[in-house]
Structure formats: structure tokens, C-alpha cells
Amino acid sequence: MVRHMANPLTPDVLVDPVVLTRTLVDIESVSRNEKVIADYVQDVLKQAPHLTSDRHGNTVMARTDLGREQRVVLAGHLDTVPINNNFPSTVVDDLIYGCGASDMKSGVALALHLVATLPDPGYDITFLFYEAEEIDSQYNGLNLVSQEHPEWLLADFAVLLEPTYGVVEAGCQGTLRALIRTSGRRAHTARAWRGVNAIHAAGPVLRRLEDYRPRTVTIDGCTYREGLSAVRIAGGVAGNVVPDECTVEVNLRFAPDRTEKQALEHVHEVFKGFDVELTDSAAGALPGLNAAPAREFLTAVGAEAAAKLGWTDVARFAALGIPALNYGPGDPLLAHAPDEHVEIGKIRDGAATLHRWLAAP
Amino acid sequence: MVRHMANPLTPDVLVDPVVLTRTLVDIESVSRNEKVIADYVQDVLKQAPHLTSDRHGNTVMARTDLGREQRVVLAGHLDTVPINNNFPSTVVDDLIYGCGASDMKSGVALALHLVATLPDPGYDITFLFYEAEEIDSQYNGLNLVSQEHPEWLLADFAVLLEPTYGVVEAGCQGTLRALIRTSGRRAHTARAWRGVNAIHAAGPVLRRLEDYRPRTVTIDGCTYREGLSAVRIAGGVAGNVVPDECTVEVNLRFAPDRTEKQALEHVHEVFKGFDVELTDSAAGALPGLNAAPAREFLTAVGAEAAAKLGWTDVARFAALGIPALNYGPGDPLLAHAPDEHVEIGKIRDGAATLHRWLAAP
């Protein structure tokens, strides 16, 4: 039996972002099992003479302190969803297949490649490699660090290397879930008129959802498309009982020009006359494309930004007043899929773009 | 430790339907635990020289063979719903409290009292004391006997001694349950427009239920009031997914002028354009008040019949072409309630009415 204790993230591997991606995929790191990969990454950071590093749980941080005028964050999560017959990696033509190849070890590879190859960047850089993004936010390393070491996140601009297929996705929409409840009075269905049917009473709730016309909002050239969806409905006591309660769970995805409070007011307005109970919400993030490093980043990429519709960890930076965007080589449509893969060309493009941007100013 | 092996249904007890009711309540007989009470009842039947008796499981039968022109059935179930801090019986003023007092040991008491006190009735009588009415119909003693000994049920008329509070409730409504399904296409709620929301699509199903105007049908002077109720609704995949399926379970209670097939056609018509799946149905029973013993029974009671709205075992007689009705001293609104009780006066009235009817012809 042979056990490899040596760090597979060798200088030879770090110098090539494609080889590095594959090597990272081959270090299993399903959420809550990030210790090994965090140890290897921390080891790489400690060996870089231009960085000082620190650790919180399985989240590791390193930063330059070169006295640059502005500081940028490059961040990525180390964990993956559970393996699904897609470990270790395989390569077919110009595609690397494997759990996390898209979401988001190819993004992590871009950052680690910069650690190893860009000792003298034009901005000060903070690298954040964090744990547990794929599970409940109470475990999310970026969330924990934003509470316990908020200074680690401080910067003028942040890039989250989540899969965007090389597109710049700016800001993010907020999300809010609420329960809309109807009530009635139980009765035997043989004497249904003695009761009040709470499921029938939910008809108008569904009608308002059917009739709802979501807004489309453009901010900094990014177009956000809102949506209001029923995601769950439940009601019923027994096969012979007029039910006295029915619950519709709705999910509002809202453009970042609304605050969480305004989003909740909007839901109350849509379901006026009904009992509305907020269950959870998360603020969106404005695209913040007017920050100088953001404009320079867009120039380096050579393309316009698009709106990020899903909620992402960029909102954790936005909450601290730091503009942030998503940019990564993976394809978001392949995230969490059994045939998850990443195009080798997208990894090379991404590495070149980040080098161009960070070397320049 | 003293164990009472002696049958508590002594001649002294049998002669008084009120004492008999209380004695029966004090023999615990929750569904599937009817052996002891069935043994005691069978023992009483065997000791009656004018009866021949038989048994199937915990269902016992006894009959006269006096050569009368017509035969009537008196039937009651021996089981109760689970005890709920209401065992053994207590008496407060003119009320007997206890599990089964209303549903339907007071009814069983009327029949057993007749066994002991009416050796020479004007009709031939078949007594049926059966098991497992309160649970799934696969265990129902009357159902089992109707399949395996249908000759035990044959008669010109049947009285089921279920609680009706001394009112004659004729026939019964049918019941049908069906699933109405809507389908859609899953999508992330951040891109809801890429999906089709099956819960939103259930809006029109609920609208048809809201708009539904049930029929009221009068047959043999009995007025049946139909109803169509949603009894359950379910849909949803996850808090961030546009759901691709929603199911509404509906229960139609239909007057006995419709067959099961016609009832199903009606449901298909109401939900035209939607996927309808029948889950179960049971035919109703026409009141059948034109049979001679039925008319004489109404004369003995001295009141008109009302329609029975709930489904009851009278439909098992109707399926064999035997008119049947419900008549018992218990209050149906107290059935299955923790404070279940029966009025002593209703027991005495019921016993007198049945004597008057059965002694007369």
C-alpha cells in the first residue's frame, strides 16, 4: 500500500492552469471534507515569499502588501457537490471532465496559478479559498470569514471565479421566500357546505402568480429579469375532510435596485389580503461597474458585463460595500451535473485575461 | 389477580338495552381486537333457541327461520375507533359516555336486546354483528361476508343501526376520489421564464372548484346534497426550482341517482383539459323506501326519512339489490369524538320503536 503524503500542487503543476485544474479535481473535496485540499493550498500560499497567509477552519487567505493604490480580491470555493460517478478526472479531446471541473476548481486554478506566477501585480491582491459554498450558508467559509475576519474581505473590487463560461456577470439578484397561507374550516366532505375549503381559497393566490408580470431592470448596462414563482404548495387533512389550511411557498428573485425590505413590501402588495410569512431572504448586489478596477477588468476581458440572475457570494462583498462580479472558465449550466466538464481553451483564456489585467496598471 | 371469564352479557343485562349498552362499551373492541366481544355475542346467539348462528372471522350471524313472508336484516359493527381517554364508560345524568357509546354499541345493544326479548317476530330476522368497520374496507366484516357468504345478507330490507340520533336516514351518497394533475418544466427560479410552473397551472383547477355549483337531488322524498372538494394539494421540488408537477386530490360526494361511472364522467367533464386519475370510488345507495318493510318501519318510527349524505355500509346491501337504511340512537356528530356519548332516552325510544315494528306485522 502506497500513501501519497506529498503535496500534488508542485511548482510544475502550478505553472500550467490546465494541469493544475485537473490536479485540483483529483483532490476529493466534497463539502465538509475540505481539510486535505485546504492543507495543500495553504502550503502553496506559505511558500510564496510575496504573500502573508492565514486560515480560519478550512478557509485559507493570502495577501500581498505591496503598497498599491488599490486592492482586489480573487475568491473561490474549494468544495464540490457530492461525487456522481465523475471522480477522478478524465480528459476527452479539449475537455476536462470531473466533479468540480466547472464549479469551480478551474476558477480556483486560475487564482492559484496567479499566486505562483505573478509576484509583482499592479494591484495588491487578496486570495481567498473557502470552504462549504455548496451547502447551507451557516457553513459557508466566506460567510464565516465576513463575520469573524471582515478585514480579510476589504478591497476596492472583488472577482469571484465562479463558472460564467468566460462572461463577466455583474452583481446578482436578491432572493426572498415567503409562505402565503389560506385558512378555512374543517368539515366532513359529505357535508362540505358546513366547512370552508382552504385549498379552494388558494385559487386567487395562484391566479395572482399566473397574472404576475415581472419587471426587467437595467443597471450599469446589465439587464436583470425578475421572477415570482410558486415553489411549493401543500394542503389537506384526510381524503374525506374539507381542509382548513393551505400553504403556497413563493420565491421572488429581485433586481438589485430593490432592498430586501422593499422586496418583502412588494410581496405583501402582490398578495394583499392574504397572510404572508417571510421565511428567508438575501439581498442582491449592484453591479458596481464604475469602480476603476472593474472598468479596467472589463477592458482586459474586452467584453461588456451581463447581469447575474442567480444569487451568489458576490452579495457578501456587496454587503461590505465592495463591488464584485463573477468571472470564471466553467460553464454554469454544467455545474452539479454528472457530466460536469470544462473547456481547456476557456481555462487558458481566463488565465491570460487575469494576467493581462493584474500585470497592467 | 382476578380474571373475569364469565360472559358479562347475562340475561339480566340483555333485558335492559341501557344496561346492555354500557356493558358493551366496557368490553374493549378497537378494530382488529374484536375477538372477545364477538365470542360473547356469539354465545348469546347460540343460547337463543329460535336462532341458528354462524361465524366468519369475528363477524357473527344469527337468523330466525319462522317461514315469514319477508326477511329483514338488523346489522351493526362491533368495533370502535381507538380509545381516547374514554374507557370504560361513565354515566352523567341521562348520558352514557365512552368509546363506542354512540358509534355504535348503543345500536348493537338494540339488536342484541331484540335477540333476547323477541322470540316470535312478525318478519324473519337476520342479525349481523360484524368486525372492522372503522378501518380500511379490506378488513370490513360486512364486506368480507358479502363476498364469501352473500346469502347471509339476503333479505327484503335492512336496517343498519349506525348513529342517526333516532332519525331515519335512507340510502347514501356515493364517493369518488381523483387526482387532477398539472405538469410543467423545471427551471431554476432565477431563470423562471425558462420553465413552466405546474403550481401556477393548477390555478384554473382551483377556479373550477371555487365556481362549482353542486346539485341537490330529491329521491323518494329524501334530499341529497352533492359536493366537490379539494382534499389535498401537493407540488414542489425545492425552494429554488420551478416545479414541474402539481397534484390536486378531489372528492366528489354524489347523489345515488348517479352511478360510479357517471360520477367519474362528471369529474372528467368538470376538469376537461386536465389529466384526471381515479383513485377510488364507492357507489351510493338509493333510499328504496317503497319496499313494504321500509314503509312499515317508517310508520313505526312515525317520521319521514332524511337522506344519508355520508357513505355507509348500506351501500353493500344496495349492491345486492336490498333496500337499506340507517337508524340508531347515537348522535353521528359525536362519533369518534373523545366525549362520545349517547342519550339514555334515545336508546329506550329506539328499542320501543324496533319492538313495535317487528312485533306488529
Side-chain angles (χ1 to χ4, degrees), chain B residues 162-178:
Chain B
E162 285 276 6
T164 65
Y165 202 59
V167 173
V168 178
E169 294 189 337
C172 78
Q173 294 206 119
T175 177
L176 177 157
R177 265 178 282 272

Side-chain angles (χ1 to χ4, degrees), chain B residues 252-316:
Chain B
L252 174 70
R253 297 293 176 141
F254 56 96
D257 65 333
R258 295 199 209 253
T259 63
E260 285 174 85
K261 185 167 172 288
Q262 289 168 336
L264 180 58
E265 284 165 4
H266 178 63
V267 170
H268 273 287
E269 191 183 298
V270 171
F271 297 107
K272 201 165 187 164
F274 289 93
D275 180 34
V276 173
E277 183 195 334
L278 177 69
T279 51
D280 67 75
S281 73
L286 287 163
L289 297 176
N290 292 324
R295 280 188 275 112
E296 286 151 14
F297 177 75
L298 288 172
T299 304
V301 175
E304 295 295 302
K308 182 72 180 175
L309 300 177
W311 193 91
T312 79
D313 276 340
V314 298
R316 302 194 197 278

Side-chain angles (χ1 to χ4, degrees), chain B residues 7 26 69 80 88 121 124 126-127 141 170 179 205 225 269 283 293 333:
Chain B
N7 192 337
D26 290 344
E69 257 177 57
T80 69
D124 270 310
T126 302
F127 295 96
L179 302 176
V205 173
R225 191 162 168 183
E269 191 183 298
L333 300 178

Side-chain angles (χ1 to χ4, degrees), chain B residues 7-53:
Chain B
N7 192 337
L9 305 177
T10 61
D12 280 359
V13 166
L14 290 162
V15 84
D16 183 334
V18 174
V19 175
L20 179 52
T21 295
R22 201 169 169 195
T23 306
L24 287 167
V25 171
D26 290 344
I27 304 167
E28 185 265 292
S29 60
V30 174
S31 306
R32 311 294 280 153
N33 193 31
E34 301 98 332
K35 183 178 182 312
V36 169
I37 197 168
D39 287 350
Y40 290 148
V41 168
Q42 186 176 27
D43 188 38
V44 170
L45 299 176
K46 279 185 176 165
Q47 287 174 33
H50 64 297
L51 298 177
T52 54
S53 65

Side-chain angles (χ1 to χ4, degrees), chain A residues 56-80:
Chain A
H56 178 90
N58 290 321
T59 296
V60 289
M61 180 277 285
R63 46 184 286 153
T64 64
D65 279 292
L66 304 168
R68 303 290 188 249
E69 259 178 56
Q70 297 201 288
R71 174 177 293 280
V72 300
V73 168
L74 294 179
H77 61 83
L78 295 171
D79 64 319
T80 69

Side-chain angles (χ1 to χ4, degrees), chain B:
Chain B
M1 196 168 103
V2 179
R3 285 182 69 182
H4 287 281
M5 305 295 289
N7 192 337
L9 305 177
T10 61
D12 280 359
V13 166
L14 290 162
V15 84
D16 183 334
V18 174
V19 175
L20 179 52
T21 295
R22 201 169 169 195
T23 306
L24 287 167
V25 171
D26 290 344
I27 304 167
E28 185 265 292
S29 60
V30 174
S31 306
R32 311 294 280 153
N33 193 31
E34 301 98 332
K35 183 178 182 312
V36 169
I37 197 168
D39 287 350
Y40 290 148
V41 168
Q42 186 176 27
D43 188 38
V44 170
L45 299 176
K46 279 185 176 165
Q47 287 174 33
H50 64 297
L51 298 177
T52 54
S53 65
D54 204 344
R55 178 163 177 158
H56 177 90
N58 290 321
T59 295
V60 288
M61 179 278 281
R63 47 184 286 153
T64 63
D65 280 291
L66 304 169
R68 304 287 189 248
E69 257 177 57
Q70 297 201 287
R71 174 176 293 279
V72 300
V73 168
L74 294 180
H77 62 83
L78 295 171
D79 64 319
T80 69
V81 294
I83 288 163
N84 190 356
N85 289 317
N86 53 5
F87 182 89
S89 64
T90 51
V91 173
V92 179
D93 299 329
D94 62 338
L95 305 176
I96 300 174
Y97 282 82
C99 185
S102 167
D103 185 12
M104 60 173 282
K105 288 188 172 171
S106 50
V108 168
L110 296 192
L112 271 184
H113 172 66
L114 289 167
V115 162
T117 59
L118 190 70
D120 187 35
Y123 301 107
D124 270 310
I125 305 179
T126 302
F127 295 96
L128 279 167
F129 301 98
Y130 62 101
E131 63 185 328
E133 191 270 349
E134 297 291 4
I135 56 175
D136 192 282
S137 71
Q138 67 176 302
Y139 304 108
N140 183 302
L142 196 60
N143 184 26
L144 296 176
V145 161
S146 73
Q147 289 166 24
E148 301 190 27
H149 302 285
E151 71 282 5
W152 291 8
L153 275 61
L154 292 184
D156 299 286
F157 176 57
V159 175
L160 218 61
L161 297 157
E162 285 276 6
T164 65
Y165 202 59
V167 173
V168 178
E169 294 189 337
C172 78
Q173 294 206 119
T175 177
L176 177 157
R177 265 178 282 272
L179 302 176
I180 318 299
R181 285 213 179 80
T182 57
S183 58
R185 195 170 61 243
R186 289 192 193 186
H188 196 290
T189 49
R191 293 177 183 80
W193 69 91
R194 290 198 187 165
V196 176
N197 194 312
I199 295 177
H200 299 193
V205 173
L206 301 191
R207 206 165 309 156
R208 292 189 200 177
L209 284 163
E210 279 178 279
D211 294 345
Y212 186 77
R213 293 292 163 261
R215 289 191 315 156
T216 294
V217 182
T218 300
I219 305 166
D220 289 358
C222 297
T223 299
Y224 295 90
R225 191 162 168 183
E226 297 188 329
L228 180 62
S229 306
V231 291
R232 203 177 57 86
I233 189 165
V237 176
N240 59 356
V241 176
V242 173
D244 58 348
E245 191 173 307
C246 183
T247 307
V248 184
E249 186 178 6
V250 298
N251 182 205
L252 174 70
R253 297 293 176 141
F254 56 96
D257 65 333
R258 295 199 209 253
T259 63
E260 285 174 85
K261 185 167 172 288
Q262 289 168 336
L264 180 58
E265 284 165 4
H266 178 63
V267 170
H268 273 287
E269 191 183 298
V270 171
F271 297 107
K272 201 165 187 164
F274 289 93
D275 180 34
V276 173
E277 183 195 334
L278 177 69
T279 51
D280 67 75
S281 73
L286 287 163
L289 297 176
N290 292 324
R295 280 188 275 112
E296 286 151 14
F297 177 75
L298 288 172
T299 304
V301 175
E304 295 295 302
K308 182 72 180 175
L309 300 177
W311 193 91
T312 79
D313 276 340
V314 298
R316 302 194 197 278
F317 289 97
L320 297 170
I322 302 162
L325 51 74
N326 292 279
Y327 172 77
D331 181 343
L333 300 178
L334 295 172
H336 308 188
D339 66 337
E340 180 173 356
H341 58 263
V342 61
E343 294 175 23
I344 287 172
K346 289 284 177 193
I347 299 172
R348 298 220 182 278
D349 286 352
T353 299
L354 291 177
H355 257 277
R356 194 159 58 237
W357 171 48
L358 291 168

